[in-house]
Amino acid sequence: MSFDLIIRNATLPDGRRGIDIAVRNGRIEAVEAGVDAEAGEVVDAEGHLVSPPFVDIHFHMDATLSLGIPRLNRSGTLLEGIQLWGELKPLLTKDAVVERALRYCDLAVSQGLLAVRSHVDVCDDRLVGVEALLEVKDTVRDYLDLQLVAFPQDGLFRAPNAEANLLRALDMGVDVVGGIPHFERTMEAGARSVTRLCEIAAERGLMVDLHCDETDDPMSRHIETLAAETVRLGLQGRVAGSHLTSMHSMDNYYVSKLLPLIAEAQIHCVPNPVANIVLQGRHDTYPKRRGMMRVPELWALGVNVAFGQDSCMDPWYSMGNADMLDVAHMAVHTGHLTSRDAVTRCFDAVTRAGASAFGLESYGLEKGCNADLVILDAADAIEAVRLRSPRLRVYRRGRLISRAEPRRAELSLPGRPAMVAPSAYAPPVG
């Protein structure tokens, strides 16, 4: 038997070691020790971690790499970011959005990030961002899955024509219904927007992903309405609640009621650690809130928690580099998720859990899955998060699309080694 590709001696995210992965016609044909076969290409993983690709389940590609246009966010707040985006929108051109988005996709591929769900603002009557990202989606389809969310950034009811534009965007081919209930003028209007958006999704057979309660206000409780509407309309498993930062400030008794509602509705919960750790708590003196939903408690109830990056060098977040391991690394610190099991689950939150929320088909490391694979310079998933490891090789459908060198440094120290490799510092338990 002959294959197109065999990756030998791999460590898998579930801890299995010495595993061979055999690929034919873009799909995984075998995942086992000692595959006895020839292949057009044989790669020795040398015990390194081999993972399915990273997934960013929450991003804003229409704004990415726009940092400094037309100015910087001086306060660092979410609201100034929204104001700044309002100043930038009239300046957007389709060509500029396409160019920035494609540059970002290049960077994403180099980081093993091969699936991105991007919200795209529909409150500009020109729908420039929608047109641009639909073009980008088609351009990158052979190497990156791009899923688009129709996002009324200025509020479904607060912004003129927002609902009409959202429906236009869905008619143009945008995949998911988005919203931002906490940005409506009143709590009541926010709740009505959740109902309307879920009804649109139910009518069209689409998924829902709402920016929900991205605030430090513990009384912002639109996630409760989202859970109720999900159950009422039979949308279980098709709905994501993104951010949910008010959960960090809520009363524990109320949360004891809320979390089971989220679990019952099978809502995917999407924290965005790198962005929200700097956007939230801006009005606090000390102590300062972290702006992270209650991840361990959600895990305990079986809720699918998938991390998003949210932003990269845009009006809301001046940092970022398309690295989902940075996102997992920040979550470990922000959420006190330092047990070995928790760190492993953080790796899962930027791979498998994101794929589940995305609805990606044939994702994973089982026979029959797409041969989308990343070899990392790490001994296991925990080490990958600790080191934010280089992606040595990235495959799409069995085809090599990116490669990088291991991280090494040459030393000139008497009596010490000539070279240091961070990946060599893995602890014995790894």
Side-chain angles (χ1 to χ4, degrees):
M1 185 177 295
S2 178
F3 296 101
D4 301 324
L5 167 70
I6 297 177
I7 298 175
R8 296 198 182 278
N9 191 24
T11 297
L12 304 189
D14 63 9
R16 285 180 288 166
R17 297 178 180 277
I19 299 298
D20 296 344
I21 302 171
V23 173
R24 184 190 294 114
N25 296 328
R27 289 192 176 269
I28 296 173
E29 292 289 335
V31 182
E32 59 193 54
V35 171
D36 185 13
E38 297 180 349
E41 178 185 11
V42 177
V43 175
D44 184 1
E46 300 179 339
H48 288 120
L49 177 67
V50 178
S51 170
F54 295 100
V55 178
D56 186 353
I57 196 61
H58 188 102
F59 193 64
H60 292 264
M61 198 174 287
D62 52 349
T64 195
L65 305 183
S66 65
L67 182 67
I69 307 172
R71 61 183 178 84
L72 294 171
N73 184 337
R74 298 296 182 183
S75 69
T77 62
L78 173 65
L79 292 180
E80 186 178 354
I82 293 174
Q83 179 184 355
L84 206 170
W85 175 242
E87 297 171 15
L88 173 57
K89 270 193 288 188
L91 307 177
L92 293 177
T93 66
K94 179 181 173 182
D95 288 346
V97 175
V98 167
E99 190 273 336
R100 286 196 295 263
L102 288 175
R103 286 189 64 220
Y104 179 82
C105 290
D106 296 340
L107 183 60
V109 166
S110 75
Q111 303 280 27
L113 171 55
L114 302 188
V116 178
R117 173 183 283 180
S118 174
H119 297 252
V120 53
D121 192 350
V122 298
C123 287
D124 179 356
D125 289 340
R126 300 175 301 155
L127 294 184
V128 169
V130 173
E131 289 186 0
L133 292 191
L134 284 171
E135 179 178 316
V136 170
K137 179 180 178 179
D138 185 62
T139 300
V140 304
R141 64 189 310 165
D142 289 338
Y143 56 88
L144 186 147
D145 292 300
L146 178 58
Q147 188 179 69
L148 300 180
V149 183
F151 177 47
Q153 171 75 74
D154 300 325
L156 184 71
F157 298 139
R158 183 172 177 173
N161 301 326
E163 181 173 340
N165 289 346
L166 181 142
L167 295 174
R168 284 171 56 207
L170 296 176
D171 289 341
M172 293 166 65
V174 172
D175 309 283
V176 182
V177 177
I180 185 167
H182 56 278
F183 197 62
E184 301 290 351
R185 287 190 172 89
T186 66
M187 289 287 186
E188 185 272 337
R192 283 194 296 114
S193 78
V194 172
T195 297
R196 177 62 185 138
L197 292 163
C198 287
E199 288 175 346
I200 291 170
E203 291 163 4
R204 291 176 173 248
L206 299 176
M207 293 186 287
V208 179
D209 189 337
L210 301 189
H211 287 60
C212 204
D213 305 321
E214 189 182 6
T215 169
D216 294 329
D217 179 5
M219 300 308 294
S220 185
R221 297 177 173 183
H222 296 298
I223 179 57
E224 180 182 78
T225 305
L226 182 59
E229 291 302 305
T230 297
V231 173
R232 180 177 74 87
L233 295 166
L235 295 171
Q236 292 94 327
R238 291 163 48 190
V239 176
S242 291
H243 295 291
L244 305 183
T245 59
S246 66
M247 193 186 293
H248 198 89
S249 303
M250 287 174 177
D251 172 78
N252 287 334
Y253 180 81
Y254 173 70
V255 171
S256 73
K257 168 198 171 186
L258 175 64
L259 298 192
L261 293 178
I262 293 173
E264 177 191 359
Q266 299 172 37
I267 289 176
H268 305 281
C269 290
V270 182
N272 295 280
V274 295
N276 282 127
I277 193 65
V278 297
L279 290 172
Q280 307 313 130
R282 287 283 179 169
H283 296 281
D284 295 351
T285 52
Y286 291 94
K288 288 183 182 288
R289 285 168 286 184
R290 298 178 177 214
M292 182 98 147
M293 68 179 74
R294 304 189 185 203
V295 173
E297 292 81 1
L298 288 164
W299 279 340
L301 291 176
V303 174
N304 186 51
V305 179
F307 299 155
Q309 183 183 199
D310 195 14
S311 299
C312 179
M313 298 177 68
D314 68 10
W316 295 276
Y317 186 60
S318 63
M319 312 282 286
N321 64 352
D323 188 348
M324 294 308 294
L325 286 176
D326 273 356
V327 176
H329 191 266
M330 181 63 75
V332 166
H333 292 80
T334 305
H336 294 158
L337 302 172
T338 53
S339 73
R340 295 190 66 78
D341 178 64
V343 177
T344 301
R345 296 196 73 166
C346 286
F347 184 89
D348 183 72
V350 294
T351 50
R352 186 209 56 81
S356 176
F358 196 109
L360 279 175
E361 297 180 355
S362 302
Y363 175 94
L365 293 179
E366 291 79 39
K367 181 178 179 179
C369 289
N370 291 326
D372 300 341
L373 305 164
V374 183
I375 304 178
L376 297 103
D377 188 18
D380 55 29
I382 294 173
E383 284 295 286
V385 174
R386 182 178 74 85
L387 295 169
R388 284 88 84 210
S389 303
R391 285 60 159 175
L392 302 179
R393 286 174 174 254
V394 179
Y395 291 89
R396 172 75 165 188
R397 306 297 194 264
R399 181 174 68 90
L400 182 67
I401 60 172
S402 177
R403 65 186 301 168
E405 294 299 318
R407 190 178 300 145
R408 303 286 186 267
E410 294 183 3
L411 296 183
S412 298
L413 301 174
R416 302 307 303 155
M419 183 171 292
V420 168
S423 61
Y425 284 72
V429 292

